[in-house]
């Protein structure tokens, strides 16, 4: 179908009227198909979609948003300093997965970084003004008001990881952090290690809390006393893993294994052990968490706990779109997997 504007034969973009004429249906039927297909027969919907393909019609998102009150976009909100986004490979993997999952619905994803109080205030105003239909929230610390403010404003929201301290009415998708930690510590003990230290994640985040809890549970079931001298905390950065390992070695020179709550921190642990003349795994075994690109880039390669990032991102998108469509909040917990490599 060729469409001209009558002035010099210049081609004009196809309109909803062209689609209706091509499909042999009313303009209202085309509009209902474009807005979800409610009250449209399968035959009519198929005819409209075929006409869209033939005409090359492209939805005018601005015009549709004026009618529906929706922006037809979703925010990916990371409440961490900007440098963390570029350092930690998990964020990029999750962002890519969410982008791909939303692309299947022709919905763009807006990246929002809110690592400071001023950034949080600005982004909260932007979101609550209706510029996005919902938010995928990543790395929320307890005491961070942004999740509570968005929930109270009625913004559809799905958190990555179980939120801390904001009640039960926030949707979330999480890997089973506690069970993954249990698998790793059991593996280290099965290797004959008896002095297993830990570098935790931040203890105001769900991953930090749950992975430490799994570590403690396995020590208890093995009859090993909990020793605070071999427990240090990090912030998921490589530098904090390196500093954590130095503290562990100073406080417990007989250490023979370390469970590290992220692969990036584990890279820092390996650096500190190498500098101290400790061989891995001969002298000290090291286990990470995430199975991010940092695990295979490490030397030696890391035994780690695999988080199912593809499923986490697709489930976050599914739950958010359902919530935007009017469904109640939901919680999804996904299993992890122990991946054995050279470091244990």
């Amino acid at each position: 179908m060729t469409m001209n504007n009558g002035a010099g034969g210049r081609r004009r973009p196809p309109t909803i009227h062209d689609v209706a004429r091509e499909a042999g249906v009313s303009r209202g039927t085309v509009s209902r198909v474009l807005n979800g297909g409610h009250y449209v027969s399968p035959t009519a919907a198929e005819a409209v979609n075929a006409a869209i393909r033939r005409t090359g019609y492209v939805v005018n998102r601005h015009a549709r948003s004026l009618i529906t009150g929706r922006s037809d976009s979703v925010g990916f909100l990371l409440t961490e300093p900007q440098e963390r986004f570029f350092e930690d490979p998990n964020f990029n993997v999750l962002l890519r997965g969410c982008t791909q999952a939303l692309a299947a619905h022709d919905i763009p994803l807006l990246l929002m970084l809110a690592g400071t109080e001023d950034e949080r205030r600005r982004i909260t105003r932007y979101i609550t003004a209706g510029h996005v239909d919902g938010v995928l929230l990543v790395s929320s610390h307890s005491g961070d008001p942004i999740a509570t403010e968005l929930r109270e404003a009625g913004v559809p929201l799905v958190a990555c990881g179980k939120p801390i301290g904001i009640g039960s009415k926030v949707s979330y998708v999480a890997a089973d952090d506690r069970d993954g930690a249990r698998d790793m510590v059991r593996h280290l003990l099965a290797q004959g290690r008896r002095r297993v230290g830990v570098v935790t994640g931040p203890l105001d985040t769900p991953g930090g809390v749950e992975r430490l809890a799994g570590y403690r549970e396995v020590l208890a079931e093995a009859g090993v006393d909990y020793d605070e001298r071999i427990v240090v905390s990090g912030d998921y950065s490589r530098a904090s893993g390196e500093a954590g390992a130095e503290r562990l070695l100073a406080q417990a020179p007989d250490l023979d294994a370390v469970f590290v709550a992220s692969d990036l921190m584990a890279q820092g642990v390996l650096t500190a052990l190498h500098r101290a003349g400790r061989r891995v795994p001969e002298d000290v075994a090291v286990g990470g968490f995430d199975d991010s690109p940092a695990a295979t880039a490490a030397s030696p390669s890391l035994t780690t706990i695999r988080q199912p990032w593809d499923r986490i991102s697709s489930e976050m998108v599914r739950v958010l779109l359902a919530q935007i469509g009017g469904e109640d909040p939901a919680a999804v917990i996904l299993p992890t997997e122990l991946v054995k490599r050279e470091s244990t």
Side-chain angles (χ1 to χ4, degrees):
M1 174 179 290
T2 301
M3 299 162 198
N4 298 320
N5 66 0
R10 189 170 57 192
R11 187 178 179 85
R12 65 168 175 80
T15 67
I16 194 172
H17 300 285
D18 299 315
V19 174
R21 184 168 56 252
E22 180 76 12
V25 300
S26 69
R27 182 185 179 281
T29 297
V30 176
S31 180
R32 286 193 293 276
V33 170
L34 295 174
N35 288 288
H38 302 294
Y39 311 111
V40 179
S41 71
T43 301
E46 184 178 347
V48 169
N49 287 322
I52 289 172
R53 290 191 295 271
R54 287 196 298 271
T55 61
Y57 174 74
V58 177
V59 176
N60 184 326
R61 290 189 178 277
H62 177 68
R64 188 166 75 177
S65 70
L66 294 175
I67 298 170
T68 64
R70 293 183 178 178
S71 70
D72 282 336
S73 61
V74 164
F76 183 97
L77 175 56
L78 177 62
T79 57
E80 293 284 356
Q82 291 188 15
E83 58 268 20
R84 286 292 313 283
F85 174 73
F86 296 102
E87 180 190 27
D88 193 327
N90 292 331
F91 297 140
N92 289 282
V93 171
L94 190 62
L95 175 64
R96 183 172 64 248
C98 290
T99 301
Q100 291 172 343
L102 284 165
H105 300 274
D106 197 25
I107 297 175
L109 184 65
L110 279 64
L111 173 62
M112 303 173 179
L113 302 178
T116 68
E117 188 174 339
D118 285 344
E119 288 172 345
R120 292 186 185 99
R121 280 198 296 267
R122 286 195 297 271
I123 286 175
T124 299
R125 287 197 302 268
Y126 180 85
I127 292 170
T128 55
H131 294 293
V132 295
D133 294 328
V135 172
L136 302 167
L137 178 63
V138 182
S139 191
S140 179
H141 297 257
S142 64
D144 181 353
I146 197 164
T148 300
E149 291 172 4
L150 294 179
R151 185 189 64 179
E152 291 176 349
V155 176
L157 173 71
V158 177
C160 181
K162 185 177 181 179
I164 297 176
I166 57 174
S168 59
K169 294 188 177 180
V170 172
S171 294
Y172 68 88
V173 177
D176 195 333
D177 291 300
R178 185 175 299 207
D179 194 56
R182 286 194 292 248
D183 284 345
M184 178 58 74
V185 179
R186 288 188 185 116
H187 171 68
L188 293 171
L189 293 176
Q191 301 298 304
R193 311 292 171 157
R194 288 295 172 263
R195 192 73 164 139
V196 182
V198 61
V199 180
T200 76
L203 295 180
D204 62 348
T205 63
V209 170
E210 291 295 307
R211 293 169 202 178
L212 176 59
Y215 165 85
R216 297 189 66 165
E217 287 174 5
V218 172
L219 292 187
E221 75 183 24
V224 178
D225 292 335
Y226 180 74
D227 184 349
E228 291 186 353
R229 291 175 300 172
I230 56 173
V231 178
V232 299
S233 61
D235 62 7
Y236 290 138
S237 70
R238 178 171 179 155
S240 74
E242 187 171 346
E246 289 175 348
R247 291 199 304 274
L248 286 174
L249 290 172
Q251 294 166 187
D254 58 339
L255 195 77
D256 64 4
V258 187
F259 166 47
V260 194
S262 83
D263 294 339
L264 192 62
M265 288 198 300
Q267 283 189 334
V269 169
L270 292 173
T271 297
L273 291 173
H274 177 73
R275 187 167 54 239
R278 303 294 181 94
R279 298 169 301 164
V280 177
E282 292 86 354
D283 300 325
V284 182
V286 177
F289 203 107
D290 292 332
D291 198 28
S292 70
T296 51
S299 180
S301 59
L302 278 171
T303 293
T304 188
I305 296 296
R306 176 174 294 158
Q307 294 203 62
W309 292 112
D310 288 345
R311 289 191 63 193
I312 290 172
S313 55
S314 63
E315 283 296 296
M316 287 180 69
V317 167
R318 182 188 66 79
V319 172
L320 182 63
L321 294 182
Q323 197 172 336
I324 291 171
E327 293 187 15
D328 292 333
V332 178
I333 298 177
L334 299 170
T336 58
E337 177 187 356
L338 174 66
V339 180
K340 300 176 185 179
R341 296 195 179 96
E342 299 170 343
S343 66
T344 61

